[in-house]
Amino acid sequence: MPEETRSLSELLGQVKGALEKELPDHYWVIAEIMEFRENRHCYLELIEKSEENNSLLAKVRATIWASRYAMLRPFFETTTGTHLKSGIKILCKASVEFHPQYGLSLNITDIDPSYTLGDLARIKQEVIQRLRKEGVYDMNRDHPFPMVPQRIAVISSESAAGYGDFSESIKNNRHGFHFETTLFPALMQGDEAPLSITSAMETIYESEADFDCVVLIRGGGSKADLESFNHYELAYFITQFPLPVITGIGHERDESVADMVANQGLKTPTAVAEFLVDHVRAFEFRLSALLDRLSHSVRNRVQGDLSRLERYGESLRQLSKGSLKRQSEQVRQHQELLRRALSLQVEKKGDYLSLLEKRNELVNPANILKRGYSISVSYTHLTLPTMRLRC
């Protein structure tokens, strides 16, 4: 047996003493939260990844004891607008602790929220730049918005107050327009929200011809709830969707990446309902204006045609008068020619009758006797006498 031996507890006790001697102070440590769990105390698993290939470089357990956690959590959430959760980076003040039974861990006593805030902003900008680099950032905005959007696919939580506000505003709009809304339920906050929303959009895609646009709405909430809408996969899915997407996520000051890439990014569910109503109202105005223009054009056309008809009628009357006058003159001329022709015929017939009268006078027996002719009668066989003329 070796001269110097130790039990495991003695060895680990020496390790504990050495660490306390060499690392007596607190240190500010940058790390990413991989696992997060709270039960009075807060239990975390912190990691560091390689910036080159995202491989795991280090991992350690950490604890925020209840007394500290009760102060750190509200301050962190108020400042950053997000919760302590898996996937975010923190800058924390921690001391190194070693326990022979539980091993190495960090005891966190403070967190700098400004670092996380800057990191969240950096991640958001990275998502935006990635979408721009891929050439998809404006794809949903490039979809022409329907002139009369009335068949609306709604993605929201069925119990959300924002969904109730939207439904009330659009169904009881002051103009009485009719809209057909179909709800596709989804989680609207938390780590599972992006996947839940994209699943709902996939369901809509299966019957996209039945809808004019998609409305993505939720009610108000903390800034932390907005983080789900900065998710790259969700934003990318919106850019690729074949229907115009309208967002009304309920944040007056902050704009999520989903708002930026949507066809229309509005602040609240009520604003979305008003936008749709106003859009249909604008179409009604355009339709009314077109109807007025059509009526005006028809009136002008009819008035112009009536004026032309009047001119044509006057011209026709003048032409008719001229034609009647010419026809009357022709009839008069024909009558005159006929009269002359009849007079000439009568004159000719009169001369002919005179000639016939003279001829009759010449062959009249009396006149013949006057010229020295006599009448002789002879009877033969008791026949009627015959008359012969002789000179």
Side-chain angles (χ1 to χ4, degrees), residues 55-322:
S55 61
L56 185 64
L57 299 178
K59 180 169 68 172
V60 69
R61 292 181 297 106
T63 305
I64 309 176
W65 300 115
S67 57
R68 282 284 182 179
Y69 187 57
M71 295 184 294
L72 292 181
R73 186 183 70 173
F75 177 66
F76 180 86
E77 292 178 353
T78 302
T79 305
T80 63
T82 189
H83 302 294
L84 283 169
K85 59 182 180 179
S86 300
I88 66 170
K89 283 187 177 181
I90 60 173
L91 174 61
C92 58
K93 185 179 182 181
S95 61
V96 179
E97 293 189 351
F98 184 84
H99 192 281
Q101 291 182 355
Y102 305 111
L104 184 70
S105 66
L106 298 181
N107 178 28
I108 297 175
T109 57
D110 198 2
I111 299 177
D112 184 357
S114 61
Y115 177 84
T116 303
L117 191 62
D119 188 64
L120 291 174
R122 177 187 59 79
I123 293 173
K124 178 179 177 180
Q125 289 303 315
E126 287 177 352
V127 170
I128 294 171
Q129 293 304 319
R130 182 177 176 184
L131 294 170
R132 290 187 183 278
K133 185 177 180 180
E134 292 171 350
V136 300
Y137 186 84
D138 295 315
M139 288 185 67
N140 196 263
R141 290 184 180 272
D142 290 339
H143 289 322
F145 200 80
M147 296 182 66
V148 188
Q150 291 183 293
R151 302 173 302 164
I152 316 300
V154 183
I155 301 176
S156 181
S157 171
E158 188 172 7
S159 60
Y163 174 64
D165 294 341
F166 170 82
S167 299
E168 175 67 20
S169 297
I170 202 165
K171 290 179 180 178
N172 299 316
N173 65 86
R174 64 184 180 278
H175 302 294
F177 297 140
H178 174 69
F179 294 87
E180 295 179 5
T181 60
T182 304
L183 176 65
F184 293 83
L187 297 174
M188 302 304 291
Q189 66 184 51
D191 295 338
E192 297 180 3
L195 179 59
S196 180
I197 294 171
T198 54
S199 297
M201 295 181 75
E202 286 177 346
T203 304
I204 296 171
Y205 177 75
E206 294 174 358
S207 55
E208 64 168 296
D210 296 335
F211 302 102
D212 298 319
C213 62
V214 177
V215 168
L216 177 60
I217 56 175
R218 54 155 292 144
S222 67
K223 188 175 179 180
D225 299 332
L226 190 65
E227 290 304 313
S228 299
F229 299 94
N230 290 329
H231 201 273
Y232 168 78
E233 280 72 18
L234 173 58
Y236 183 84
F237 206 92
I238 291 174
T239 66
Q240 300 299 298
F241 207 70
L243 294 175
V245 177
I246 310 173
T247 58
I249 300 174
H251 292 269
E252 291 291 343
R253 292 180 298 174
D254 300 305
E255 187 178 30
S256 68
V257 179
D259 293 321
M260 296 176 184
V261 299
N263 191 281
Q264 302 289 332
L266 303 172
K267 294 300 182 182
T268 64
T270 302
V272 173
E274 291 174 351
F275 170 81
L276 293 171
V277 172
D278 290 344
H279 203 79
V280 176
R281 179 63 172 163
F283 173 77
E284 186 180 56
F285 279 136
R286 290 195 297 270
L287 193 62
S288 178
L290 289 174
L291 182 61
D292 290 342
R293 288 175 57 187
L294 180 61
S295 300
H296 183 70
S297 298
V298 170
R299 285 195 298 269
N300 290 342
R301 182 65 179 271
V302 170
Q303 187 62 41
D305 290 344
L306 288 175
S307 299
R308 283 192 292 273
L309 285 174
E310 289 180 359
R311 293 197 300 271
Y312 293 156
E314 182 63 26
S315 299
L316 182 60
R317 285 193 292 271
Q318 296 298 327
L319 290 173
S320 298
K321 287 181 180 179

Side-chain angles (χ1 to χ4, degrees), residues 323-337:
S323 178
L324 289 173
K325 185 176 181 181
R326 289 192 298 272
Q327 294 296 328
S328 297
E329 181 63 23
Q330 289 178 356
V331 169
R332 189 190 64 78
Q333 292 175 357
H334 291 160
Q335 287 177 340
E336 181 64 23
L337 290 174

